[in-house]
Amino acid sequence: MLYTLNRVRLRLLAIAFVTSMLALVCQSLGAQPLDLDDVEALALAADPSVLSVQSRKASLNALEVAAAQLPDPMVKMGLMSLPVDSFQLGQEPMTQVQIGVVQKFPRGDSRELRAGQFREQSRGLDEMAVDLQLQILLAVREQYLEVLKQRRLAEINRAAEAAFSDLEQITRAYYGTGRAQQQDVLQAAVELSKVRERSSRIAEEEDRARARLATWIGDAAWRPLDTDWPELPPQLPPEPAEDALRQHPRLRALHQEVIAADKGVALAEQGYKPEFSLDLTYGGRGGNNPDGSSRADLLTVMVMMDVPIFRDKRQDRMVAASVAQSSAAAFDRDDAYRHMRSELKLHQATLQRQQERLDLFEQSLLEESSFNAEAAFQAYQAALEDLTTLMRASITEFELELEYVHIKAEAYKTQARLLYLQGTRS
């Protein structure tokens, strides 16, 4: 027994030594192991979605300035009352060469309201950019933890492969002396093959997780990772977490859409007010008066306005449409809060149960399964138990270790989701 355990320990030490040497080689080549902080920084620096939002914000800021200005004045030039018999400018006293300017004045406070609408939408994009950063952090944390989980599972599976390989050799040796049956040898070989098959599955899942992580950080996803579990910011208690949720950037962005929609309602109500235009025209005349004096030039000033009379077909409909859009924006905000609050409650309950399971593993299951496997091995060597009992004990030990890593990784992912819902970045 001691000889076999020493062989297992030697194999594990060899694996650890090779892993350390590989890490040193990678470090010497400049490929430093990535920790979670490095991954987050790379993802935030490389993601174009935040840059897209910033560009849209710059567009809205420019539109805000433009919307607050008066419309461009119109210049008009032409001939008035030109006689068609001679086409002479000085023949008739009514003939004028006119040049003028027309300036429109939009209805009521429509300029200020339209500029304010763009301003509120721009503020909403600020909140949206923060929410996008939080979503990026959540995504890379989940994928980083998935890669780290597969790496941890691979370590446990290597230890299981070493243990079952030694057990197969022992069983073959016992079979040669007549102490074990051929069925025992076959059973040990089958279990070893299952462990090796699981190793391939773990490697496949790791490659998939790294490929998903590469979406955010590119080729850096294939670099070595820090093998320690990361330290995430602490979660808030239930009531403070709900208070933080109400101030979540995603909800604030949706609230800015409601404010912008309310500005749209006020803007539609300006349709009941008239729109004014100021027309200033200078008319130059040629020729002389009957008394021989030159004809005087003429100046015309006119004020024009439209009169919104048929309101039920136009203004009333525009206001109704704007009110409906404002209500829809408010419903979207309330619906998002309802779903996010439900997710918060769900993840809080999930994390509590996951922590309970982890405590059970750490306080009893892992240690007891290890003692049970060692006792079964001793009993098998002393011919007090059969191979099936030993196999069952060994399989249980390694499966519990694998399950512990699964729960540990999922608990970290749940914490990451809670951090997103709390609006916690770091």
Side-chain angles (χ1 to χ4, degrees):
M1 169 197 168
L2 293 176
Y3 171 73
T4 303
L5 291 177
N6 287 334
R7 289 186 63 184
V8 173
R9 293 193 183 99
L10 287 174
R11 288 195 178 191
L12 293 176
L13 288 174
I15 292 172
F17 175 76
V18 171
T19 303
S20 300
M21 291 303 296
L22 288 174
L24 290 175
V25 171
C26 292
Q27 183 174 354
S28 65
L29 294 176
Q32 297 288 344
L34 289 175
D35 58 18
L36 184 56
D37 292 337
D38 297 330
V39 172
E40 292 175 356
L42 287 172
L44 291 175
D47 187 77
S49 60
V50 176
L51 298 178
S52 173
V53 172
Q54 292 174 349
S55 297
R56 290 165 59 191
K57 174 180 170 58
S59 172
L60 289 175
N61 290 340
L63 289 174
E64 176 190 351
V65 176
Q69 310 307 311
L70 286 171
D72 292 334
M74 294 184 294
V75 176
K76 64 178 186 177
M77 294 179 290
L79 296 174
M80 179 180 178
S81 302
L82 181 66
V84 297
D85 56 349
S86 64
F87 294 99
Q88 294 182 3
L89 296 179
Q91 176 181 329
E92 300 293 337
M94 295 179 60
T95 301
Q96 300 177 34
V97 178
Q98 290 189 340
I99 181 170
V101 61
V102 179
Q103 176 66 60
K104 287 187 176 181
F105 296 90
R107 308 174 190 276
D109 299 326
S110 57
R111 287 187 298 133
E112 292 79 3
L113 290 170
R114 187 172 286 108
Q117 193 174 33
F118 287 131
R119 182 168 56 254
E120 298 302 335
Q121 290 174 347
S122 176
R123 291 173 180 172
L125 288 180
D126 286 335
E127 302 295 344
M128 184 183 296
V130 177
D131 181 53
L132 280 174
Q133 291 177 342
L134 291 174
Q135 292 182 35
I136 293 169
L137 290 179
L138 173 59
V140 298
R141 284 168 178 171
E142 288 183 328
Q143 299 310 321
Y144 176 90
L145 289 167
E146 183 63 25
V147 175
L148 181 57
K149 179 183 77 173
Q150 300 303 328
R151 297 298 301 164
R152 291 278 186 133
L153 294 178
E155 292 178 3
I156 297 172
N157 206 64
R158 282 195 294 268
E161 184 175 354
F164 281 106
S165 178
D166 286 340
L167 185 58
E168 184 197 27
Q169 294 178 14
I170 294 173
T171 306
R172 288 183 182 276
Y174 284 176
Y175 176 70
T177 61
R179 178 176 169 181
Q181 299 179 1
Q182 186 179 14
Q183 182 66 29
D184 294 340
V185 178
L186 295 176
Q187 183 180 356
V190 168
E191 292 300 333
L192 179 60
S193 298
K194 288 170 63 177
V195 171
R196 288 172 176 169
E197 187 275 335
R198 184 168 60 202
S199 178
S200 297
R201 284 191 284 111
I202 291 173
E204 179 183 0
E205 291 299 325
E206 180 184 348
D207 289 342
R208 290 181 177 180
R210 286 185 182 272
R212 290 191 293 267
L213 184 60
T215 304
W216 304 102
I217 64 173
D219 293 338
W222 304 98
R223 286 170 52 183
L225 297 185
D226 188 351
T227 57
D228 294 332
W229 291 108
E231 292 187 7
L232 295 178
Q235 286 74 49
L236 296 174
E239 291 186 4
E242 281 203 45
D243 295 337
L245 177 63
R246 295 187 184 93
Q247 300 301 320
H248 195 277
R250 179 182 173 188
L251 296 178
R252 291 204 300 263
L254 292 173
H255 183 66
Q256 288 302 128
E257 292 184 9
V258 175
I259 297 176
D262 290 340
K263 294 280 187 181
V265 174
L267 182 60
E269 291 174 346
Q270 301 305 302
Y272 295 113
K273 300 178 181 179
E275 182 178 68
F276 291 90
S277 295
L278 177 63
D279 185 345
L280 179 63
T281 304
Y282 178 85
R285 296 193 299 170
N288 297 317
N289 294 317
D291 60 0
S293 61
S294 299
R295 291 173 180 155
D297 295 337
L298 303 176
L299 180 66
T300 303
V301 179
M302 299 183 66
V303 176
M304 296 169 287
M305 70 176 183
D306 60 2
V307 181
I309 298 176
F310 306 103
R311 300 181 175 184
D312 58 332
K313 298 297 185 182
R314 187 171 185 178
Q315 284 81 4
D316 290 350
R317 299 302 177 91
M318 295 296 294
V319 171
S322 299
V323 170
Q325 289 180 353
S326 177
S327 299
F331 289 143
D332 287 341
R333 177 198 59 196
D334 297 341
D335 184 61
Y337 173 72
R338 180 170 60 91
H339 282 89
M340 294 176 70
R341 185 174 183 272
S342 176
E343 291 179 4
L344 179 66
K345 296 294 185 181
L346 172 64
H347 295 319
Q348 286 175 338
T350 300
L351 181 61
Q352 181 180 355
R353 297 307 177 190
Q354 288 171 337
Q355 192 58 55
E356 291 175 357
R357 295 178 66 190
L358 288 174
D359 292 341
L360 183 60
F361 271 82
E362 294 168 356
Q363 295 173 6
S364 59
L365 281 177
L366 292 178
E367 185 176 1
E368 290 171 358
S369 65
S370 177
F371 288 156
N372 181 51
E374 184 176 356
F377 188 83
Q378 293 176 353
Y380 178 70
Q381 284 194 322
L384 299 177
E385 291 288 353
D386 57 10
L387 181 64
T388 301
T389 302
L390 174 59
M391 285 289 186
R392 187 184 301 115
S394 299
I395 292 171
T396 299
E397 178 186 15
F398 287 113
E399 285 185 346
L400 286 175
E401 291 179 359
L402 294 171
E403 181 65 17
Y404 174 74
V405 171
H406 276 288
I407 300 173
K408 188 81 170 177
E410 291 304 315
Y412 270 102
K413 290 180 183 179
T414 304
Q415 293 180 46
R417 292 163 190 147
L418 285 173
L419 290 174
Y420 167 73
L421 293 172
Q422 295 170 192
T424 304
R425 178 170 175 175
S426 59

